[in-house]
Amino acid sequence: LPFRFTEIITMSVPDSGLVFGSYLTVHGVGFETGVMHATVYVCVLTPLDDASAPPLESHATAAVSYTAVECEFPKWQLRGQRFNLTLLHSGSPVTTLGAFQLTFELKSGWLSASLGLETPFQGGQLLTVKGQGFDPALRPGYTCVFVDADSRVCPGMAQCVHSNSSDYTVPEEQRHASAADSTDELVCAVPTWVHANPRA
């Protein structure tokens, strides 16, 4: 009797990436390699948090080995969110061990902030943050945190010298988390810097 072994997925890592473009590795057994199978695998992310959003496909790729496929995703233009992950082999889904569902999250990220190096931290000034993947519908919204420049290697935020845009030094009417204006921009209030180190 003829018998055919079927490839199977055991896990994928990491479980999240940034909207600017991400990589993940699907691990399993039985992936096809060689010249004849140069670009037969595609990873597909299907949005979980926004059913109206389109799926995101990785670039077609070959398996890097009998046990691994590496997927590279292009930039995601919408808000960051969670996805179901499917690996396609020549258009057909590859089975996961135990039939569990793989998931992946694309997280928002910021690129720049329009704050001059000599800006006086007097509380209440507005700071525009540029990035990608912000969620305008998120409530209560986003908080900008300003950390002591010498505290970048501290083990956690609780151990850092910091102030944030909900600080008591911000005028009361601005003392709240900021809603994003769009998926690529948000504005938050600058707190008064009351710490000894002048650099944040």
Side-chain angles (χ1 to χ4, degrees):
L1 293 176
F3 187 82
R4 181 176 182 273
F5 286 100
T6 302
E7 58 196 345
I8 195 165
I9 297 169
T10 56
M11 65 180 294
S12 64
V13 291
D15 59 7
S16 65
L18 292 176
V19 295
F20 305 117
S22 295
Y23 293 85
L24 65 80
T25 301
V26 177
H27 293 278
V29 178
F31 299 133
E32 295 183 352
T33 59
V35 176
M36 295 295 295
H37 311 286
T39 56
V40 295
Y41 291 98
V42 174
C43 287
V44 180
L45 297 179
T46 304
L48 286 173
D49 301 330
D50 182 1
S52 65
L56 179 67
E57 292 189 359
S58 71
H59 304 297
T61 186
V64 295
S65 70
Y66 179 74
T67 60
V69 175
E70 292 181 352
C71 293
E72 178 186 358
F73 291 97
K75 183 178 180 180
W76 175 248
Q77 301 288 350
L78 305 178
R79 67 181 176 91
Q81 58 186 288
R82 297 174 303 122
F83 299 81
N84 280 333
L85 169 64
T86 303
L87 177 66
L88 301 181
H89 178 185
S90 298
S92 299
V94 179
T95 303
T96 55
L97 183 65
F100 66 93
Q101 180 62 59
L102 296 170
T103 60
F104 191 72
E105 182 178 4
L106 287 176
K107 298 181 177 181
S108 60
W110 67 281
L111 295 170
S112 64
S114 57
L115 185 69
L117 295 178
E118 300 299 325
T119 298
F121 275 42
Q122 296 175 347
Q125 294 169 298
L126 297 181
L127 170 67
T128 300
V129 179
K130 299 284 188 179
Q132 189 66 44
F134 300 138
D135 182 1
L138 180 67
R139 298 295 183 273
Y142 297 86
T143 298
C144 295
V145 179
F146 301 84
V147 179
D148 184 328
D150 293 335
S151 301
R152 292 176 180 172
V153 294
C154 59
M157 191 57 68
Q159 290 77 41
C160 292
V161 175
H162 67 280
S163 295
N164 65 56
S165 57
S166 298
D167 198 277
Y168 69 93
T169 63
V170 176
E172 187 171 355
E173 65 274 12
Q174 295 177 302
R175 204 178 301 166
H176 52 76
S178 303
D181 296 326
S182 65
T183 57
D184 58 8
E185 182 177 292
L186 64 90
V187 177
C188 59
V190 175
T192 300
W193 187 255
V194 295
H195 308 292
N197 190 340
R199 298 185 303 123

